[in-house]
Amino acid sequence: MQSEYPLTTAQITAYQRDGYIQLNDVITGADLTAFRDAVNDAVKKDTANADPNRVKNSYEQIFIQCVNVWHRYPAVRPFVTSRYLGSIASRLSGLSVRLWHDHALFKEPHTGAKTPWHQDTPYWPHEQKMHQLTIWIALRDATIQNGCMSFIPGTQKMLDIEPVNLANPQDLYDVAPQAKGLKPVTCELKAGSCTVHNGMTFHYAGPNRSDGMREAIAIIYMPDGTTYLKVPHPVTDPLHLETGVKLNSELFPLVSN
Ligand SMILES: O=C(O)CCC(=O)C(=O)O
């Protein structure tokens, strides 16, 4: 990977104003091939024992989701824990950041359902909610046809909205009437390009109507100093933490200066 992805002041300002940004060609060439292969291998191994005849619940119909692949797959680790990506998150947010978690998100051809409009941070066991951010990397081209991401600019400032139930989603305008009239922006991405969104920004991805898998990995960052809030979450449940402790162990590495 390059030593530092170039970001202009205008891009940082746009991210902070809109709550999302598209960045092109972040991972390229041999790095892209290696990252894509490593994540594909991880998803293949994680799903090897899945019963192909099992009826999927409505959440599982959205995508195959493999969380914290960097913990289990050494070939994924250098990408997910890289200062190269961490520095993008840090410069956009203006803060030192730690890794919260990664997840491979593979939307299956023809059957992968839409990802409903939602904000992320309300699901997370964090006392502070304002500055988490996700780098969502297309490992293959992400298009309208296969379920690329869309964002509603400025919605990162909408706090205290009821979390959307992804398995049985409420209508966006019922949960966030303030979003009426705001125009969503859809971001088609070439493989190796990414979007970055604030965890409070409303976002959506369409269903996969193509013949190929929509292959993406999302890497989520939180400000250094973020403290735990005791609510159920698969990443923190095994750690038996108490509210107020800093999420600063080696499971949440500092990935920026
Ligand atoms: O990949 C998707 O379909 C949705 C991803 C998402 O919601 C996220 O990364 O926060």
Side-chain angles (χ1 to χ4, degrees):
M1 278 178 282
Q2 309 159 42
S3 54
E4 183 160 270
Y5 182 81
L7 281 177
T8 63
T9 307
Q11 285 174 309
I12 294 170
T13 304
Y15 169 77
Q16 294 189 352
R17 181 192 60 222
D18 298 335
Y20 83 97
I21 193 163
Q22 174 170 339
L23 301 175
N24 292 329
D25 300 324
V26 171
I27 300 185
T28 56
D31 286 331
L32 174 59
T33 307
F35 195 17
R36 177 164 56 211
D37 289 353
V39 176
N40 264 279
D41 183 55
V43 171
K44 202 165 152 193
K45 288 184 173 139
D46 268 12
T47 55
N49 295 325
D51 172 1
N53 299 319
R54 201 172 68 87
V55 178
K56 293 186 171 185
N57 65 33
S58 33
Y59 184 76
E60 292 164 330
Q61 286 169 28
I62 299 173
F63 37 46
I64 298 168
Q65 178 184 31
C66 303
V67 177
N68 269 340
V69 287
W70 77 274
H71 288 189
R72 299 184 300 286
Y73 299 99
V76 175
R77 192 183 186 105
F79 294 98
V80 169
T81 62
S82 68
R83 297 221 162 213
Y84 173 73
L85 293 173
S87 157
I88 294 175
S90 169
R91 283 177 289 151
L92 288 175
S93 63
L95 299 166
S96 286
V97 295
R98 288 182 179 272
L99 189 58
W100 161 222
H101 69 79
D102 69 25
H103 45 172
L105 298 171
F106 280 28
K107 225 182 244 300
E108 293 177 273
H110 301 293
T111 58
K114 71 173 185 194
T115 312
W117 285 107
H118 67 283
Q119 298 170 303
D120 293 330
T121 324
Y123 305 131
W124 295 336
H126 299 165
E127 289 194 290
Q128 304 76 19
K129 303 281 187 196
M130 302 282 293
H131 300 291
Q132 287 80 343
L133 65 170
T134 295
I135 300 186
W136 188 101
I137 302 170
L139 297 170
R140 295 196 188 276
D141 294 355
T143 62
I144 290 173
Q145 209 203 2
N146 73 10
C148 65
M149 295 271 276
S150 297
F151 303 90
I152 306 183
T155 48
Q156 79 279 11
K157 300 197 178 97
M158 293 182 184
L159 310 177
D160 300 324
I161 291 174
E162 185 192 340
V164 171
N165 178 355
L166 290 174
N168 182 18
Q170 309 92 305
D171 184 83
L172 168 65
Y173 299 128
D174 288 342
V175 287
Q178 315 90 303
K180 272 187 191 152
L182 301 179
K183 203 171 156 17
V185 179
T186 295
C187 298
E188 292 198 301
L189 297 175
K190 287 271 165 220
S193 296
C194 72
T195 52
V196 186
H197 67 270
N198 181 303
M200 293 302 291
T201 305
F202 269 99
H203 54 284
Y204 162 94
N208 185 353
R209 298 200 167 96
S210 79
D211 295 335
M213 186 74 91
R214 190 217 64 181
E215 296 176 10
I217 184 163
I219 307 172
I220 312 167
Y221 302 87
M222 59 186 169
D224 184 25
T226 298
T227 53
Y228 176 66
L229 173 69
K230 197 166 181 147
V231 293
H233 191 280
V235 169
T236 40
D237 290 351
L239 306 177
H240 306 292
L241 302 171
E242 291 304 327
T243 291
V245 299
K246 280 190 184 163
L247 294 170
N248 61 4
S249 73
E250 71 281 0
L251 296 176
F252 311 110
L254 194 63
V255 286
S256 69
N257 298 322

